[in-house]
Amino acid sequence: MSTKTPQAIRGTQDIFGKDAEAFAFVVETFERVRRLYRFRRVEMPVFEKTEVFARSLGETTDVVSKEMYSFDDRGGESLTLRPEFTAGIARAFLTNGWQQYAPLKVATHGPLFRYERPQKGRYRQFHQIDAEVIGAGEPQADVELLAMADQLLKELGIHDVTLHLNTLGDAESREAWRAALIDYFRAVKDQLSEESQERLEKNPLRILDSKDARDKPFLADAPKIDAFLSEEASAFFAAVTSGLDAAGVKWVRAESLVRGLDYYRHTAFEFIPDEGSASAAALGSQSTVLGGGRYDGLMESLGGAPTPAVGWAAGIERLAMLVGAREEAKADVIIVVEDDRQLSYAIGLIGMVRNSGYTADLAATGSPRKRYDKAVKSGAETILALGCDDKGSLAARIRGSDEWKQRLHKMMDQSGGHS
Ligand code: ATP
Ligand code: MG
């Protein structure tokens, strides 16, 4: 057997200390905000049958064609570690008969897996918070979902990212736009990047968000969706934007914003750090923090009845980078055991402190003479030192406010100690 310690898998992270605090802060804030908007919590499987993602996302997407962790299980069935939440939630909606709850607002968070080239803000196991409204075709659903995203970012203290908004129209508008894009890009095919040449027939919308320098010169003049929007699709988009204005959510129009996945219709959006902002500096080139849109076509691709839906997801790691490292909270009280004869008493007492809802640590390891100094160094405001007098009975010292002295004396009285 090798004696070498195995290394972590490339693209995974061990998150600890101040970074873990930032991560937890994102999740806690999301949990609080999703309750304000009455989104119901769901817990989803980490893996699904491969076809759940292949059929939902479409074979031509980056995620399905290059990024999925798929494997055959011992029964020979092809399974995939979820690369996103939406497809699994849509599957659950259909297989559990959640239609009865429609319009259903759900939220979740957890790990996702994509085989990508690891770099800053891009991992192979990453985490998202996710919110979906299923069974609501009204633009008001988009507005509410976006207002929640906007409030979440503000409550996280992130004020320098802006909602970039587009519409992909309804199926008919999107199809007409797609055909026009194919015509336009076909004429310059030879000059496009290999990747865009490949996308040309299958997924031409994706060329619009190409970052390749060879494609860029052709992007500005590419046909715009607005020329192809049906009256209905225009009205839908107008209702979304006026709802956002009413909700006080700032947005900018991003005509070439498309989402990578096939199932999107109408609203598509991303929250992106403002140019030159602190958030832009923190995220580098991985600039989208939160993205989503309306996916009215998805349920049908999974064999369900047509069901309108809209949702978003945000990378927890990227949000945590914007939040920045957060201090771990100091203990309300540290109980220092200066004489090990008081250990049992201290264990009883610290239980009382914690049961009363205060955070507490016991300093009872290492040299007894050094424990007090260590407690002082930790920055705790209140320190209770438990030792013995000459006769071997309890001798307690408290460093802290009068309020805390009183509180601790009361607990010591109750626990049969004397002070
Ligand atoms: P990108 O253009 O950055 O690849 P995407 O379009 O693949 O993003 P989505 O599938 O919409 O991203 O996921 C929503 C959010 O999840 C992203 O905005 C980002 O914050 C986060 N995210 C996506 N992929 C990763 C990853 N590999 N590592 C970390 N976070 C990620
Ligand atoms: Mg991606």
Side-chain angles (χ1 to χ4, degrees):
M1 209 165 87
S2 168
T3 53
K4 238 173 103 189
T5 305
Q7 297 301 296
I9 296 171
R10 195 167 127 77
T12 64
Q13 291 197 100
D14 306 310
I15 308 172
F16 174 73
K18 293 177 183 183
D19 297 329
E21 287 299 321
F23 190 103
F25 175 65
V26 171
V27 174
E28 285 160 16
T29 307
F30 174 65
E31 275 297 292
R32 191 162 53 73
V33 172
R34 67 97 183 153
R35 283 196 175 91
L36 296 177
Y37 286 76
R38 310 263 309 147
F39 277 63
R40 303 164 77 176
R41 181 75 200 191
V42 284
E43 304 302 333
M44 305 307 302
V46 170
F47 54 2
E48 294 276 352
K49 292 183 180 174
T50 297
E51 75 175 313
V52 169
F53 304 110
R55 283 170 60 181
S56 304
L57 279 56
E59 302 281 353
T60 64
T61 55
D62 284 356
V63 171
V64 173
S65 62
K66 305 187 243 186
E67 297 176 358
M68 292 206 303
Y69 277 96
S70 301
F71 60 97
D72 290 340
D73 75 358
R74 289 170 191 276
E77 182 152 48
S78 178
L79 306 181
T80 294
L81 300 183
R82 64 185 179 200
E84 57 131 54
F85 278 113
T86 309
I89 291 174
R91 189 276 304 148
F93 184 87
L94 296 173
T95 58
N96 294 307
W98 287 349
Q99 288 93 340
Q100 62 181 306
Y101 306 116
L104 176 63
K105 301 196 280 187
V106 291
T108 193
H109 87 275
L112 303 157
F113 305 85
R114 294 184 192 176
Y115 193 80
E116 303 206 63
R117 199 167 65 77
Q119 52 194 290
K120 183 174 156 193
R122 189 175 294 284
Y123 313 100
R124 289 182 174 174
Q125 174 172 340
F126 63 103
H127 301 77
Q128 282 182 345
I129 49 177
D130 181 277
E132 316 276 348
V133 184
I134 308 177
E138 297 79 8
Q140 165 52 23
D142 309 44
V143 172
E144 184 178 49
L145 195 75
L146 284 163
M148 178 164 81
D150 191 64
Q151 182 168 350
L152 171 71
L153 293 169
K154 291 193 170 122
E155 299 219 2
L156 289 172
I158 303 168
H159 297 280
D160 55 0
V161 303
T162 301
L163 167 59
H164 290 234
L165 186 68
N166 197 17
T167 176
L168 308 175
D170 44 28
E172 181 195 330
S173 323
R174 191 182 149 127
E175 212 28 65
W177 184 35
R178 188 186 131 97
L181 285 170
I182 292 178
D183 282 348
Y184 172 82
F185 285 120
R186 211 182 256 149
V188 293
K189 184 171 177 181
D190 304 342
Q191 297 164 68
L192 298 177
S193 66
E194 294 79 28
E195 204 169 20
S196 289
Q197 293 192 19
E198 214 175 286
R199 283 173 174 157
L200 182 51
E201 312 290 335
K202 292 188 211 145
N203 200 349
L205 272 59
R206 284 304 309 279
I207 300 177
L208 295 176
D209 67 5
S210 165
K211 297 193 170 76
D212 195 297
R214 288 166 290 175
D215 300 326
K216 284 213 160 142
F218 303 106
L219 302 184
D221 293 331
K224 303 284 182 291
I225 179 69
D226 286 7
F228 305 93
L229 285 181
S230 65
E231 217 168 285
E232 225 182 310
S234 299
F236 190 97
F237 191 54
V240 172
T241 57
S242 63
L244 289 172
D245 293 340
V249 177
K250 286 212 194 77
W251 59 277
V252 295
R253 178 71 196 272
E255 278 181 316
S256 54
L257 189 155
V258 295
R259 303 285 306 150
L261 310 177
D262 278 356
Y263 55 57
Y264 284 105
R265 299 281 182 279
H266 291 294
T267 322
F269 54 84
E270 290 180 349
F271 282 79
I272 299 176
D274 301 334
E275 214 160 304
S277 67
S279 288
L283 281 185
S285 55
Q286 310 308 330
S287 57
T288 302
V289 280
L290 184 153
R294 179 164 275 286
Y295 52 92
D296 292 351
L298 173 58
M299 292 294 173
E300 284 158 275
S301 66
L302 288 175
T307 309
V310 56
W312 59 248
I316 298 177
E317 288 86 352
R318 289 188 200 175
L319 288 170
M321 283 162 81
L322 300 189
V323 162
R326 281 174 72 86
E327 289 299 326
E328 294 172 83
K330 298 190 168 68
D332 292 325
V333 188
I334 296 189
I335 298 182
V336 180
V337 180
E338 291 187 313
D339 186 315
D340 286 339
R341 282 174 285 175
Q342 298 298 346
L343 182 59
S344 301
Y345 178 68
I347 291 172
L349 196 60
I350 199 168
M352 285 176 77
V353 174
R354 289 168 174 159
N355 283 331
S356 311
Y358 300 105
T359 63
D361 253 332
L362 196 61
T365 56
S367 155
R369 276 179 299 127
K370 292 184 185 151
R371 292 174 194 168
Y372 189 85
D373 290 346
K374 263 168 75 183
V376 172
K377 259 194 214 141
S378 80
E381 261 172 54
T382 310
I383 299 174
L384 168 60
L386 301 176
C388 293
D389 63 15
D390 309 343
K391 298 187 200 96
S393 28
L394 175 68
R397 281 187 344 271
I398 302 173
R399 181 179 123 145
S401 64
D402 288 346
E403 189 192 347
W404 263 105
K405 281 180 182 154
Q406 258 184 11
R407 189 177 288 140
L408 287 170
H409 279 301
K410 214 164 137 195
M411 288 185 196
M412 285 193 281
D413 288 346
Q414 280 170 13
S415 70
H418 40 93
S419 39

